[in-house]
């Protein structure tokens, strides 16, 4: 799902879905832990950074030595660099996975070699390794059994006012739009960007969209941009409804002595037609 959204250039949609899931999970919880994307993925570093920024989350790095601790510290240095220079939120520390508890002194020595100033939170022995699946019970058991979680309490007791990130803003705006459930008229019904926007609105439940335009013109415009129009989008052909709005438009502009013939001519402009629908409370 992540890769499909990235290919479609919909990273914002992905971040908003992560935020929405976190809000649901966080209800009556003290702490929510979010697993990052596996570093085996080429897009992992940037996407994990984007998730952390969107959530305004504190960071814990997890590294696993493939051969030795030098490998683990080199990996930590690589993944931590973007955060240390660009991240404003707190970096809590790092965990060494698949390691022996007795290696903590060696880990501190390796940190000095690589000039790493991130605190070591703890290590997890190989036979109790942190599971890679998100929300794994095994991961929770391993942490609780082998770590002294005292390091977490100062962070929890230090109340930090969370930032209002752009992702949070978009999510709140879209949530409000969904609750409002408005019907929106779009006069430029065959314009490519309008069609794409209407599709997004329909797919995400942001609004009920109506396109003004000839069905054939809209179908042709969709074909040009390889867009399958969402079945929740309504199409109104202007010529089929103009007559209904001639009298209301004359009443609105009675001070200008607008004739029915002139009103009909004005209503051939889709923007005027859409405005009349709005004036009458239909949209």
């Amino acid at each position: 799902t992540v890769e499909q959204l990235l290919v479609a250039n919909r990273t914002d949609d992905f971040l908003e879905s992560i935020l929405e899931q976190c809000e649901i999970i966080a209800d009556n919880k003290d702490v929510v832990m979010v697993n990052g994307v596996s570093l085996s993925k080429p897009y992992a570093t940037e996407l994990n950074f984007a998730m952390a920024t969107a959530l305004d989350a504190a960071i814990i790095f997890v590294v696993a030595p493939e051969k030795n601790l030098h490998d683990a510290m080199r990996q930590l240095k690589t993944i931590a660099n973007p955060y240390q220079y660009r991240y404003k939120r707190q970096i809590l520390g790092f965990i060494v996975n698949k390691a022996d508890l007795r290696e903590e002194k060696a880990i501190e020595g390796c940190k000095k070699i690589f000039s790493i100033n991130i605190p070591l939170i703890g290590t997890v022995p190989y036979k109790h390794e942190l599971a890679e699946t998100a929300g794994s019970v095994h991961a929770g058991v391993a942490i609780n059994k082998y770590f002294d979680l005292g390091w977490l309490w100062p962070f929890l007791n230090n109340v930090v006012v969370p930032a209002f990130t752009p992702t949070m803003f978009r999510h709140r705006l879209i949530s409000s739009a969904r609750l409002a459930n408005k019907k929106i008229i779009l006069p430029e019904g065959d314009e490519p960007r309008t069609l794409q926007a209407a599709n997004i609105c329909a797919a995400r439940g942001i609004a009920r969209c109506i396109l003004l335009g000839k069905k054939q013109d809209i179908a042709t415009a969709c074909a040009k941009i390889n867009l399958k129009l969402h079945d929740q989008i309504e199409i109104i052909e202007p010529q089929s409804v103009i007559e209904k709005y001639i009298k209301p438009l004359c009443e609105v502009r009675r001070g200008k002595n607008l004739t029915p013939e002139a009103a009909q001519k004005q209503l051939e402009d889709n923007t005027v037609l859409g405005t009349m629908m709005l004036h009458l409370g239909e949209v």
Side-chain angles (χ1 to χ4, degrees), residues 44-265:
T45 300
E46 281 302 313
L47 193 60
N48 286 336
F49 183 84
M51 281 195 288
T53 304
L55 298 169
D56 190 39
I59 301 294
I60 298 172
F61 299 110
V62 181
V63 293
E66 293 181 6
K67 296 178 182 177
N68 52 49
L69 285 175
H70 277 72
D71 287 342
M73 292 304 101
R74 189 178 290 108
Q75 184 187 41
L76 175 62
K77 185 79 172 179
T78 302
I79 63 174
N81 271 348
Y83 296 86
Q84 288 186 296
Y85 294 113
R86 295 158 55 194
Y87 201 64
K88 296 178 182 179
R89 198 71 153 85
Q90 190 173 358
I91 295 175
L92 299 183
F94 72 99
I95 294 167
V96 180
N97 193 18
K98 305 178 186 178
D100 192 302
L101 280 169
R102 291 170 295 182
E103 292 186 82
E104 289 193 20
K105 285 186 179 179
I107 292 169
E108 290 299 327
C110 281
K111 279 176 58 181
K112 292 178 182 177
I113 293 172
F114 287 92
S115 301
I116 294 171
N117 59 3
I118 302 169
L120 172 67
I121 292 172
T123 60
V124 183
Y126 192 89
K127 63 180 179 179
H128 296 290
E129 67 188 73
L130 287 166
E132 293 184 0
T133 49
S136 167
V137 173
H138 298 295
V141 170
I143 289 173
N144 287 318
K145 187 172 182 181
Y146 291 97
F147 295 168
D148 173 11
L149 290 182
W151 61 269
L152 188 58
W153 300 120
F155 167 72
L156 292 178
N157 291 328
N158 180 23
V159 178
V160 178
V161 178
F164 192 57
T165 68
T167 301
M168 293 175 186
F169 172 77
R170 284 192 302 271
H171 174 59
R172 185 173 294 183
L173 194 66
I174 289 169
S175 296
S176 298
R178 285 172 179 158
L179 288 172
N181 191 31
K182 292 291 185 180
K183 185 186 287 187
I184 297 176
I185 192 77
L186 300 168
E188 297 175 322
D190 57 359
E191 200 276 324
R193 290 171 300 176
T194 299
L195 291 168
Q196 290 167 333
N199 247 28
I200 292 169
C201 284
R204 301 190 65 186
I206 296 170
R208 291 174 289 147
C209 295
I210 303 170
L211 301 175
L212 270 181
K214 294 180 180 178
K215 290 182 179 179
Q216 185 55 53
D217 291 347
I218 291 171
T220 301
C222 286
K224 284 182 179 179
I225 58 173
N226 195 28
L227 180 76
K228 185 180 184 301
L229 203 62
H230 198 282
D231 57 12
Q232 294 297 314
I233 295 174
E234 184 182 348
I235 297 174
I236 293 179
E237 294 196 322
Q239 289 302 322
S240 68
V241 297
I242 279 179
E243 193 172 334
K244 173 185 173 184
Y245 299 98
I246 293 174
K247 185 177 179 181
L249 181 57
C250 289
E251 289 175 356
V252 168
R253 296 186 175 171
R254 59 180 175 270
K256 295 186 178 182
N257 298 318
L258 186 69
T259 65
E261 293 75 20
Q264 181 168 352
K265 185 69 177 176

